[in-house]
Amino acid sequence: MFKIILAVIGRDLKLALRRQADIVSALFFFVIVVSLFPLGVGPEPDLLRQLAPGVLWVAALLATMLSLPRLFADDFRDGTLEQLALAPHPLGLVVTGKVIAHWLVSGLPLALIAPVLGIQFDLSAEALAVLTLAILLGTPALSGIGAIGAALTLGLRGGGVLLSLLVLPLYIPVLIFGAGAVDATVSGLGGEGHLSLLIALTFAALGFAPWASAAALKIALE
Amino acid sequence: MLEADNLECVRGERRLFAGVGFRLAAGELLFLQGRNGAGKTSLLRMLLGLLPPEQGEIRWHGEPIRALADDYRAALCYLGHLNAIKEELTPLENLLAAARLADEELAEDEALDALEQVGLAGREDLACKYLSQGQKRRVALARLVKEKRPLWILDEPFVALDAAAVEWLAKLISGHLQGGGLVVMTTHQPVNIPAGAVRELRLG
């Protein structure tokens, strides 16, 4: 079971490293969107501190969205997806591997660069730590939920817009608890409760989403 | 032993075929024929288990393939219109990755040997995007060289191949049949596959 998940992760990471433009463009998108806010709203430390969690999280959602349409589309176009569906193991495991690989090249870099961007918003060291942790714990859920949308819109023309309409509303809980964790830390309430809920969301998404995506992929392959 | 009974295929509003059945024993080849749009590829997808038939049943060694699921998929090898190779990977990486994802054992020297047999010696380490159409097809075909699974389902395997490669592939298929394998294939080219019992099924 783990062998196939590792095989998929290994292949997808190798492909991602040969196509670094995709990773770098999503990361730059994140950096630029986040950096535009301090320039737009002006250098008012109190206001920036208040805006920071929401801005960083919304930018993280959008940056994750950027790479989602390609999650299955490339494999679908060149016939690899058929071969994966015909392999003698459940398709849900293959999708689990793809979701983990997607997180490693999209969510993980966002979490690593978030503290640097947080400095622009005058966040305290403690708030930066919680922000990084929240993005680290919440982004796997984004990849998981996004996989369902990517599978449902596979092969559709203009699927990219439909994908955002499908997926962004489902990202709302992650956004609320992710931004809430940082807010709660800044206001001194402590973000542990929010972080626990984020972990719960991530586990629920990683456990459930691959199988829902696999069902959608089977319909796309008929 | 692969059996199909009374298969019916409906795509959208149109019925492509109905009442199609056949029985294929070890060492036999089934040629699917029919004009464009007669439903050859749809029938192949039913045999793969990707497309559920409107009616009828497909059995592998007497068991319905729906019930066998993973055990059936472990017995079949499919080569479709699409090559299922990654442009960014080299032929060698493609072959090894495909084997690993299909849960098959393939050592690196076996893979190199397979690539040499399809005439790609010296190009193992060149990314597939630099290969020609025919060479990409050969990378896809290299999977068959070391394939030990009994049932091969091939959709237009001779497309984009030159005369020498067509002859080589015909020999590979007949070797598989002589070893007790089963082959279901479609082709528009008249190809002579030596040895083995050949059955024909005409759709439409």
Side-chain angles (χ1 to χ4, degrees):
Chain A
M1 180 178 145
F2 290 108
K3 211 173 111 196
I4 174 67
I5 297 181
L6 288 178
V8 175
I9 296 176
R11 189 203 66 152
D12 276 17
L13 285 184
K14 194 184 267 181
L15 284 171
L17 291 177
R18 301 262 163 101
R19 267 200 307 243
Q20 286 162 349
D22 287 3
I23 310 176
V24 174
S25 58
L27 203 56
F28 263 86
F29 176 83
F30 181 62
V31 171
I32 287 175
V33 169
V34 171
S35 307
L36 286 178
F37 273 85
L39 299 174
V41 299
E44 184 63 53
D46 282 337
L47 182 62
L48 286 178
R49 262 197 299 274
Q50 243 178 0
L51 279 179
V55 167
L56 276 148
W57 263 100
V58 170
L61 298 191
L62 296 177
T64 308
M65 286 286 317
L66 272 187
S67 51
L68 275 181
R70 299 192 60 182
L71 184 56
F72 300 114
D74 287 342
D75 282 348
F76 185 60
R77 205 174 323 113
D78 64 21
T80 318
L81 196 62
E82 274 173 350
Q83 295 292 341
L84 289 173
L86 292 174
H89 30 62
L91 189 54
L93 293 181
V94 174
V95 179
T96 306
K98 289 192 77 75
V99 167
I100 295 173
H102 180 261
W103 176 74
L104 287 174
V105 297
S106 75
L108 185 61
L110 296 185
L112 295 180
I113 205 162
V116 182
L117 298 175
I119 295 172
Q120 299 182 72
F121 292 83
D122 193 32
L123 285 178
S124 66
E126 196 194 359
L128 283 177
V130 172
L131 174 73
T132 311
L133 197 60
I135 293 187
L136 202 60
L137 295 174
T139 39
L142 301 185
S143 296
I145 297 167
I148 304 179
L152 283 171
T153 55
L154 189 62
L156 297 184
R157 269 205 293 163
V161 181
L162 187 59
L163 175 62
S164 353
L165 293 179
L166 274 176
V167 163
L168 283 176
L170 295 175
Y171 280 175
I172 291 172
V174 182
L175 174 66
I176 291 175
F177 295 118
V182 187
D183 274 334
T185 310
V186 172
S187 61
L189 291 170
E192 292 84 1
H194 290 88
L195 290 178
S196 317
L197 281 165
L198 266 187
I199 296 175
L201 280 174
T202 287
F203 273 103
L206 287 184
F208 167 71
W211 304 94
S213 315
L217 289 177
K218 279 182 188 152
I219 294 171
L221 282 173
E222 267 187 13
Chain B
M1 162 101 95
L2 183 69
E3 289 169 284
D5 257 349
N6 196 25
L7 293 177
E8 178 178 347
C9 174
V10 178
R11 294 300 260 169
E13 302 278 289
R14 280 193 55 213
R15 179 194 281 163
L16 285 179
F17 55 77
V20 168
F22 63 85
R23 181 183 288 256
L24 199 66
E28 292 185 334
L29 165 74
L30 181 71
F31 252 126
L32 281 183
Q33 295 185 329
R35 60 188 160 71
N36 292 128
K40 298 188 292 296
T41 297
S42 296
L43 180 55
L44 287 188
R45 297 181 82 78
M46 281 181 184
L47 296 179
L48 292 170
L50 290 176
L51 178 67
E54 201 74 15
Q55 258 185 35
E57 195 176 51
I58 301 163
R59 287 183 299 273
W60 173 247
H61 291 301
E63 300 268 340
I65 60 169
R66 290 252 136 202
L68 286 171
D70 284 354
D71 292 335
Y72 175 63
R73 287 196 285 272
L76 77 82
C77 169
Y78 170 63
L79 190 79
H81 285 285
L82 300 166
N83 289 330
I85 60 172
K86 289 284 168 197
E87 303 258 299
E88 290 83 1
L89 301 182
T90 68
L92 180 62
E93 287 169 332
N94 262 307
L95 215 50
L96 292 172
R100 211 169 317 133
L101 293 174
D103 215 6
E104 288 179 81
E105 300 288 330
L106 185 70
E108 193 169 324
D109 48 338
E110 281 182 307
L112 284 171
D113 181 44
L115 287 171
E116 197 185 321
Q117 283 194 41
V118 293
L120 287 172
R123 296 201 167 65
E124 301 92 350
D125 294 324
L126 192 66
C128 283
K129 60 184 161 198
Y130 301 117
L131 299 179
S132 74
Q133 278 306 321
Q135 284 173 323
K136 282 180 197 164
R137 192 69 184 158
R138 285 163 185 248
V139 177
L141 288 170
R143 268 178 41 222
L144 293 175
V145 176
K146 300 287 173 190
E147 185 59 69
K148 292 175 198 77
R149 296 181 170 182
L151 175 60
W152 289 6
I153 296 184
L154 314 173
D155 197 357
E156 299 282 355
F158 297 105
V159 166
L161 294 179
D162 58 28
V166 168
E167 196 181 325
W168 169 83
L169 181 57
K171 240 182 241 154
L172 186 73
I173 292 173
S174 79
H176 176 65
L177 291 168
Q178 274 161 0
L182 293 79
V183 177
V184 180
M185 63 184 271
T186 64
T187 178
H188 285 294
Q189 281 163 276
V191 180
N192 181 32
I193 295 184
V198 178
R199 287 166 188 274
E200 286 194 15
L201 184 65
R202 180 164 287 279
L203 294 175

